[in-house]
């Protein structure tokens, strides 16, 4: 019976609400989401709420293609809401001009989507803590996460980015920050903290040697996914920037 219960829990964690959409009437947007629950979700209750992570995909990558990361966060006790930000009728991501200016509409729209989903699902999942969110995003999804974190919202506890390149990480003492960097592309000036800022705001930046920006999803090699998971787990389970143990 215990084995059956464990199997059911694992199945529910991986596949709950797969392929669902949530409708934002104010913007007429049907937003794709995939919700996966912590392995021991039966321990979540209104008195002791479980943690929530909102995962934003890289541009052109499906939000369902970060299962390696969602499963890891489920094992760490998080409910993960993976979000597809780009809809068919959205304008393409700009590739010319001052990219911070020409892409800001995309990031602003994505931040509004995160805020909307937070507000909508908090009443649905009352056994989960939406007031201390983990925002995690790859590439453009990391830019979206950083954009929201820079708007002054008080419900963000932690931001983790996977090689985002354009939007400055939040410099706030009330938000924990980890940025995992690839080896092939640099971030724009001002995106990452200076050594002094990293100390002042306890921000962590770590590069994974020989890693590629475009490999930080389910499509990437196993060694890289394992290393990303190791860094994320060590960071979330520690205090400060002890992520290499």
């Amino acid at each position: 019976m215990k084995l059956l219960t464990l199997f059911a829990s694992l199945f529910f964690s991986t596949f709950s609400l797969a392929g669902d959409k949530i409708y934002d009437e104010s913007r007429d947007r049907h937003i794709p989401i995939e919700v996966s629950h912590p392995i021991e979700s039966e321990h979540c209750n209104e008195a002791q709420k479980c943690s929530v992570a909102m995962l934003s995909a890289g541009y052109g990558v499906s939000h369902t293609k970060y299962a390696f990361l969602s499963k890891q966060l489920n094992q760490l006790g998080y409910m993960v809401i993976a979000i597809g930000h780009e809809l068919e009728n959205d304008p393409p991501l700009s590739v010319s001009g001052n990219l911070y200016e020409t892409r800001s509409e995309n990031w602003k729209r994505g931040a509004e989507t995160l805020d909307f989903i937070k507000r909508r699902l908090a009443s649905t999942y009352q056994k989960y803590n939406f007031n201390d969110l983990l925002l995690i995003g790859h590439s453009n999804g990391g830019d979206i996460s950083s954009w929201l974190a820079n708007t002054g919202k008080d419900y963000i506890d932690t931001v983790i980015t996977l090689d985002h390149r354009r939007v400055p990480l939040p410099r706030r003492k009330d938000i924990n920050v980890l940025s995992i960097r690839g080896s092939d592309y640099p971030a724009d000036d001002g995106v990452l903290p200076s050594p002094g800022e990293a100390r002042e705001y306890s921000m962590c930046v770590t590069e994974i040697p020989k890693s590629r920006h475009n490999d930080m999803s389910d499509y990437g090699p196993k060694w890289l996914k394992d290393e990303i998971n190791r860094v994320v787990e060590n960071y979330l389970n520690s205090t400060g920037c002890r992520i290499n143990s």
Side-chain angles (χ1 to χ4, degrees), residues 114-183:
L114 291 177
D115 184 65
F116 165 76
I117 290 174
K118 181 265 180 192
R119 290 183 284 107
R120 174 63 63 87
L121 294 189
S123 59
T124 301
Y125 295 101
Q126 297 185 13
K127 297 179 181 179
Y128 293 88
N129 181 9
F130 282 82
N131 292 319
D132 294 291
L133 288 179
L134 164 61
L135 303 182
I136 185 166
H138 171 220
S139 189
N140 197 63
D143 288 318
I144 290 170
S145 301
S146 295
W147 188 278
L148 179 61
N150 285 322
T151 63
K153 302 295 185 185
D154 62 1
Y155 54 72
I156 302 167
D157 179 77
T158 301
V159 171
I160 297 177
T161 71
L162 305 182
D163 210 42
H164 86 297
R165 299 175 58 204
R166 310 294 178 191
V167 178
L169 289 164
R171 274 72 163 173
R172 289 174 52 181
K173 292 185 177 180
D174 60 336
I175 294 181
N176 303 303
V177 174
L178 166 66
S179 189
I180 300 173
R181 313 307 305 172
S183 299

Side-chain angles (χ1 to χ4, degrees), residues 23-233:
Y23 181 55
D24 182 352
E25 184 176 2
S26 67
R27 298 184 296 159
D28 191 27
R29 293 182 68 80
H30 293 272
I31 303 161
I33 64 171
E34 183 175 68
V35 179
S36 59
H37 294 263
I39 298 302
E40 297 183 347
S41 59
E42 68 275 9
H43 294 164
C44 306
N45 55 67
E46 292 190 39
Q48 189 171 358
K49 297 185 177 186
C50 289
S51 300
V52 177
M54 299 179 72
L55 192 160
S56 296
Y59 188 79
V61 184
S62 170
H63 63 293
T64 65
K65 297 304 180 182
Y66 295 86
F68 81 99
L69 195 54
S70 292
K71 290 176 181 178
Q72 172 81 347
L73 291 168
N74 291 157
Q75 291 172 4
L76 295 174
Y78 286 81
M79 178 173 74
V80 179
I81 305 164
I83 300 151
H85 286 280
E86 315 305 330
L87 304 186
E88 197 171 293
N89 295 328
D90 289 340
L93 196 66
S94 173
V95 295
S96 62
N98 181 326
L99 294 182
Y100 189 85
E101 294 178 356
T102 59
R103 292 184 178 183
S104 62
E105 184 275 337
N106 178 285
W107 303 326
K108 182 175 183 291
R109 183 176 68 242
E112 289 172 354
T113 293
L114 291 177
D115 184 65
F116 165 76
I117 290 174
K118 181 265 180 192
R119 290 183 284 107
R120 174 63 63 87
L121 294 189
S123 59
T124 301
Y125 295 101
Q126 297 185 13
K127 297 179 181 179
Y128 293 88
N129 181 9
F130 282 82
N131 292 319
D132 294 291
L133 288 179
L134 164 61
L135 303 182
I136 185 166
H138 171 220
S139 189
N140 197 63
D143 288 318
I144 290 170
S145 301
S146 295
W147 188 278
L148 179 61
N150 285 322
T151 63
K153 302 295 185 185
D154 62 1
Y155 54 72
I156 302 167
D157 179 77
T158 301
V159 171
I160 297 177
T161 71
L162 305 182
D163 210 42
H164 86 297
R165 299 175 58 204
R166 310 294 178 191
V167 178
L169 289 164
R171 274 72 163 173
R172 289 174 52 181
K173 292 185 177 180
D174 60 336
I175 294 181
N176 303 303
V177 174
L178 166 66
S179 189
I180 300 173
R181 313 307 305 172
S183 299
D184 49 351
Y185 296 117
D188 288 353
D189 290 345
V191 169
L192 304 179
S194 67
E197 289 174 326
R199 289 191 298 271
E200 180 179 359
Y201 298 104
S202 300
M203 303 167 73
C204 300
V205 178
T206 184
E207 179 180 327
I208 298 179
K210 299 181 181 179
S211 64
R212 300 199 316 161
H213 176 89
N214 290 337
D215 286 344
M216 293 184 172
S217 70
D218 286 347
Y219 298 112
K222 182 178 184 300
W223 73 263
L224 178 55
K225 292 181 285 189
D226 288 346
E227 181 64 9
I228 291 171
N229 278 341
R230 185 192 69 81
V231 172
V232 169
E233 179 177 7

